[in-house]
Amino acid sequence: MPIPLDAEEVLNREFLEVRARLLQVAAALDRLDRASGSVEADARLTKISQALAILTEAEGDRAERIQHVFSRPYDAKWLGPFKKERMNS
Amino acid sequence: MYYFDPHIHMVSRVTDDYETLAKMGCVGMSEPAFWAGFDRGSVDGFRDYFRQLTEFEAKRASWYRVQHYTWLCINAKEAENVSLSREVIAMIPEFLDRPGVLGIGEIGLNKNTKNESIIFCEHLDLAMKTDEQILIHTPHLEDKYQGTRMILDMLCDDSRIDHSRVLVDHVEEHTIRAVLDEGFWAGMTLYPVSKCTPERAVDMIEMYGPERLLVNSAGDWGPSKPTAVPDFILAMRLRGHPESLIRRVVYENPLKFFSQSRNFHFTPPEVYQPAV
């Protein structure tokens, strides 16, 4: 389904909000730097870095790809053992 | 514009919210059974909750000419207590023929555990034996993708289930496609921080079209906004979408899905006259 607005209209509408949200992220990361202690080894920080990298890529579907960064992995073969265990219990 | 909120927990809201929703065009709502914020200790606790859902909430809604429907289950958070869950599942049929009961829900997964999966399957079995529709909760945040895929695996593994009679709620960008591709209905929940914003919901309408898509507020006892569906309506208008498309998503689609339930007797707002 096409978006009724053209690209220039979308940018006009969204620019200030995107700018504000980027600043909010930048300020939060600065706040982390200024705080005592270290979270360098925290996996959440790695995920934030991965998400920020996706934002700079030209490829689309950024929202979906960032969702996957913040998701636990899924094992497509889980159902077989689950059904077997359920039948035996 | 008239609209229908397909997923809202009004037991957690004050009567003023019914008035506000009515003023904003809400003419109907469906309320799935959910977690009360604490684990209930007995089957009688659930029996009382189901009475509240089927008796008092319907009455309270009617004071503002809002038509109230409901879904019954024990939610995924409490499903870790398998023995209590089985007692509740055995008790649910007492209520299934009450007016306004649309089916089994919101069942699903929370932390994607074995016990949650066992109780999910037992709810599915009840729904199939009693010919009920199903409303599904998908997990939050990092558990959502894995949990949604597991739920789809269990649904698709049961050949008795008619996919067009199942609504999978709380879809986001990384789960919506799989739900729609399997022929299920999908609900986008407009909820601060942990789910979807009105703007992102509009994006998903643009990307996937309006077929089998619903939007809801999931207004509950947490930080949530019961008027989120009107926010979505405004976001659609500001994006330039026609009124006919908006009406399809917020009014016609819910009626189409719910009309498959034998207890769904919706009266158009133009002629609705609630008993006082």
Side-chain angles (χ1 to χ4, degrees):
Chain A
M1 175 182 297
I3 304 175
L5 306 178
D6 64 27
E8 188 176 352
E9 288 171 319
V10 172
L11 186 60
N12 286 342
R13 282 175 45 85
E14 306 278 350
F15 177 74
L16 284 177
E17 192 169 336
V18 170
R19 174 185 180 276
R21 291 184 181 197
L22 287 173
L23 282 169
Q24 183 130 351
V25 171
L29 294 176
D30 287 345
R31 209 170 299 131
L32 264 178
D33 289 344
R34 287 187 283 111
S36 60
S38 171
V39 289
E40 271 179 32
D42 193 311
R44 290 174 296 179
L45 211 54
T46 307
K47 289 180 184 298
I48 289 172
S49 297
Q50 291 171 347
L52 290 172
I54 288 173
L55 288 183
T56 63
E57 293 171 5
E59 194 184 339
D61 294 329
R62 296 177 189 83
E64 181 177 352
R65 288 189 290 137
I66 287 176
Q67 290 274 22
H68 281 293
V69 167
F70 291 106
S71 296
R72 288 168 60 195
Y74 156 68
D75 174 10
K77 294 177 180 162
W78 79 279
L79 188 62
F82 169 73
K83 285 172 67 177
K84 200 171 175 183
E85 196 179 336
R86 207 175 151 217
M87 278 174 64
N88 292 334
S89 63
Chain B
M1 175 180 290
Y2 291 139
Y3 78 90
F4 198 110
D5 193 332
H7 187 144
I8 186 166
H9 298 290
M10 292 305 293
V11 298
S12 308
R13 312 301 309 190
V14 296
T15 300
D16 290 349
D17 287 336
Y18 277 110
E19 183 178 10
T20 301
L21 293 173
K23 284 176 178 171
M24 298 185 93
C26 181
V27 293
M29 56 178 56
S30 91
E31 174 161 9
F34 83 139
W35 190 56
F38 62 94
D39 290 354
R40 282 154 284 207
S42 70
V43 68
D44 281 333
F46 281 89
R47 187 176 277 111
D48 287 342
Y49 176 43
F50 295 163
R51 281 194 57 209
Q52 184 181 13
L53 287 172
T54 56
E55 296 172 16
F56 185 60
E57 284 311 318
K59 183 188 293 183
R60 205 158 65 116
S62 73
W63 295 341
Y64 297 93
R65 304 175 68 87
V66 176
Q67 296 173 63
H68 180 278
Y69 302 88
T70 192
W71 304 75
L72 305 176
C73 75
I74 177 167
N75 65 90
K77 268 183 183 279
E78 287 163 291
E80 279 302 325
N81 186 340
V82 173
S83 59
L84 175 60
S85 298
R86 286 176 171 155
E87 284 184 70
V88 174
I89 290 170
M91 179 268 290
I92 286 172
E94 290 176 25
F95 290 85
L96 288 178
D97 289 327
R98 288 200 174 192
V101 176
L102 299 182
I104 303 300
E106 59 181 302
I107 58 171
L109 299 178
N110 179 48
K111 291 295 176 189
N112 309 336
T113 68
K114 187 178 79 177
N115 282 345
E116 291 171 10
S117 302
I118 288 169
I119 295 305
F120 179 79
C121 288
E122 293 185 11
H123 273 113
L124 294 184
D125 195 51
L126 171 65
M128 290 306 97
K129 286 174 176 165
T130 52
D131 193 29
E132 297 293 337
Q133 282 198 267
I134 299 168
L135 191 154
I136 289 175
H137 163 92
T138 55
H140 306 279
L141 301 171
E142 73 270 18
D143 297 311
K144 181 177 294 293
Y145 179 71
Q146 181 192 63
T148 303
R149 295 302 302 256
M150 289 172 66
I151 285 166
L152 294 180
D153 287 342
M154 288 184 277
L155 289 168
C156 293
D157 189 61
D158 191 330
S159 60
R160 299 170 298 173
I161 294 173
D162 176 352
H163 294 197
S164 69
R165 298 186 73 214
V166 178
L167 167 58
V168 180
D169 252 329
H170 318 321
V171 299
E172 293 184 52
E173 291 87 349
H174 54 325
T175 58
I176 184 172
R177 186 184 302 115
V179 171
L180 292 175
D181 282 353
E182 292 291 353
F184 300 107
W185 286 73
M188 297 181 287
T189 298
L190 311 171
Y191 201 92
V193 184
S194 68
K195 293 189 179 76
C196 185
T197 63
E199 290 75 19
R200 284 167 50 210
V202 177
D203 291 334
M204 285 187 266
I205 296 283
E206 291 170 347
M207 291 162 68
Y208 295 96
E211 184 78 20
R212 285 182 284 114
L213 264 179
L214 305 176
V215 291
N216 64 71
S217 71
D220 56 26
W221 46 259
S224 53
K225 195 174 180 191
T227 54
V229 176
D231 291 346
F232 166 82
I233 292 171
L234 180 61
M236 287 284 284
R237 284 178 179 149
L238 294 178
R239 201 76 72 85
H241 289 294
E243 295 293 300
S244 58
L245 175 62
I246 303 170
R247 179 181 161 91
R248 178 168 178 193
V249 175
V250 302
Y251 187 72
E252 293 165 6
N253 277 359
L255 297 190
K256 186 174 179 185
F257 175 72
F258 295 133
S259 293
Q260 301 175 93
S261 282
R262 63 179 177 277
N263 287 332
F264 187 71
H265 304 293
F266 183 76
T267 307
E270 296 84 354
V271 294
Y272 178 56
Q273 290 293 337
V276 178

